[in-house]
Amino acid sequence: MKKEKGLDGKGQPFSFGFCDSLLAEVAGVGLDRLHRDLAAILKAHEAIKPVAERLGVEAPRLHLPGFAYCHLAALGAEIVFPENSEPKPLPLLKTPEEIDHLKEPRNYLAAPLIRERLDLVARLKEKDPQASSSIGHLFEGPLTTAMLLLGEKFLYLCYDDPARAHKLLDFCVSSALNYTRAIVQTQGEKLEPGPRGIPDDFAGLLPPALFQEFVLPYWEKLYRGLQATQRHLHSELLRAEHLGYLKEVNIGCFDPSADQYLTPEILKEYCPCPFTLGILSWHLRDMSADKLEEFYLKLAGFQPAMISFYMSRLQEEEKIRRLLKVAREWQE
């Protein structure tokens, strides 16, 4: 296969990282402990260093595991941490009528889980001043937040009671912005113009016919509130029919991640902006090292803005080594 230059005249960019599941494995601890146990976090970051050295990559900076539900926790939603599994939020609202009584908290940092994670970050920084200040993702996108707050009832609300659906989406955006400002201020900073991304995995649950009413206005409001100079979007349930709408809100780069409906071929034909592609966990599980190399070259042929892959299990080390080799060759 002939090596093509990217749109900027350079080779194929790639990103690689270690999954939290791998850090838990090398440390011999449950994934849930990495969210709440300082000793487990420190042990995991020490244990991953030899793996990083063997692969010729930098070891991850000391950090809390990825956590998507800070905004929900700040609103009062309960987050459960199943043993050796990913955290799971429970719906805050039992009925649509409760939307009418939603109020933003006076102090977004008062929720016990937010205080706990802020304390953990402070203790990590005592160990290493270069440790990450992040306690997790700032927010989920408007549609995803609405779904997590109310459950699948929200989808019916868009048809049966659109006024309440809009009311909840407005709340999701305004509270996300206010939470973001609060958490940024704790770091002695303020929200400045810059590149911004929105993760809205559940947006694709709404058909394209409803996008202009229930999705695009809220993306626009959130990007504007974030003072986004470049707009990035992550969503995993969009179909080809949704892609044209990305142009209407000036998305600069689209990350479909594990979207089951969007093949590279569909993205190349229908996506109106640069997009990323990835080698996913099941690709690494099911493909041989040779097949993974072939797959990487196939993805590179679509000239994505980025090809990403992550190591989630120790037994994948040789496959990752091979992928890193081909990725480095094609990045040059």
Side-chain angles (χ1 to χ4, degrees), residues 22-318:
L22 177 66
L23 269 69
E25 181 185 358
V26 296
V29 301
L31 183 58
D32 54 305
R33 285 185 58 196
L34 289 186
H35 285 277
R36 317 192 87 160
D37 185 332
L38 180 66
I41 298 169
L42 296 173
K43 181 180 180 182
H45 281 81
E46 203 55 41
I48 198 64
K49 289 179 180 178
V51 182
E53 185 176 357
R54 291 196 298 268
L55 292 172
V57 299
E58 289 189 16
R61 183 163 57 138
L62 197 59
H63 68 284
L64 295 185
F67 182 70
Y69 308 122
C70 290
H71 172 218
L72 292 171
L75 292 174
E78 181 183 356
I79 315 295
V80 296
F81 291 82
E83 186 176 356
N84 200 27
S85 186
E86 297 287 349
K88 178 183 178 182
L90 302 181
L92 181 66
L93 306 174
K94 293 183 174 62
T95 67
E97 289 72 25
E98 292 181 48
I99 293 170
D100 300 339
H101 308 292
L102 272 176
K103 293 182 180 179
E104 293 189 45
R106 291 183 178 180
N107 180 2
Y108 271 100
L109 309 181
L113 185 57
I114 299 298
R115 294 203 308 269
E116 177 183 317
R117 292 182 76 83
L118 286 170
D119 178 65
L120 269 174
V121 162
R123 293 164 68 193
L124 287 179
K125 283 190 166 292
E126 289 176 1
K127 300 290 184 180
D128 180 359
Q130 300 304 311
S132 171
S133 299
S134 173
I135 66 169
H137 297 310
L138 291 171
F139 49 75
E140 291 290 295
L143 210 297
T144 302
T145 302
M147 286 284 295
L148 293 173
L149 287 174
L150 184 59
E152 64 180 18
K153 299 185 193 76
F154 176 76
L155 296 176
Y156 300 104
L157 210 60
C158 294
Y159 297 92
D160 300 335
D161 193 346
R164 272 205 176 101
H166 284 297
K167 190 172 185 177
L168 181 54
L169 288 167
D170 271 319
F171 176 84
C172 291
V173 172
S174 61
S175 61
L177 289 171
N178 288 328
Y179 168 76
T180 297
R181 295 184 186 107
I183 204 70
V184 168
Q185 286 174 4
T186 66
Q187 300 166 353
E189 301 173 5
K190 63 178 182 178
L191 196 60
E192 301 280 5
R196 297 286 184 268
I198 293 177
D200 210 354
D201 281 336
F202 291 165
L205 291 175
L206 285 184
L210 295 183
F211 245 53
Q212 286 187 312
E213 181 177 359
F214 293 102
V215 178
L216 300 187
Y218 299 99
W219 283 352
E220 181 66 33
K221 183 177 179 181
L222 189 49
Y223 281 122
R224 285 184 179 273
L226 294 168
Q227 304 175 67
T229 55
Q230 299 173 30
R231 298 179 174 192
H232 301 265
L233 176 71
H234 166 97
S235 193
E236 296 191 358
L237 291 172
L238 299 188
R239 277 72 160 178
E241 295 79 7
H242 291 106
L243 293 176
Y245 290 113
L246 302 186
K247 188 175 182 179
E248 294 193 24
V249 282
N250 299 314
I251 301 300
C253 189
F254 171 54
D255 171 29
S257 189
D259 194 313
Q260 60 187 305
Y261 304 106
L262 296 178
T263 64
E265 291 81 4
I266 290 174
L267 287 163
K268 189 71 173 177
E269 183 173 356
Y270 294 103
C271 190
C273 62
F275 55 86
T276 66
L277 294 174
I279 293 178
L280 305 172
S281 58
W282 51 88
H283 297 140
L284 279 158
R285 181 194 64 206
D286 297 337
M287 291 184 179
S288 67
D290 288 341
K291 290 295 183 183
L292 284 166
E293 286 189 9
E294 292 176 14
F295 188 49
Y296 190 95
L297 297 182
K298 177 182 177 181
L299 296 184
F302 293 97
Q303 296 184 287
M306 183 76 68
I307 296 177
S308 62
F309 55 99
Y310 300 88
M311 183 173 172
S312 59
R313 299 178 299 165
L314 267 176
Q315 67 190 67
E316 297 168 352
E317 184 171 337
E318 183 54 33

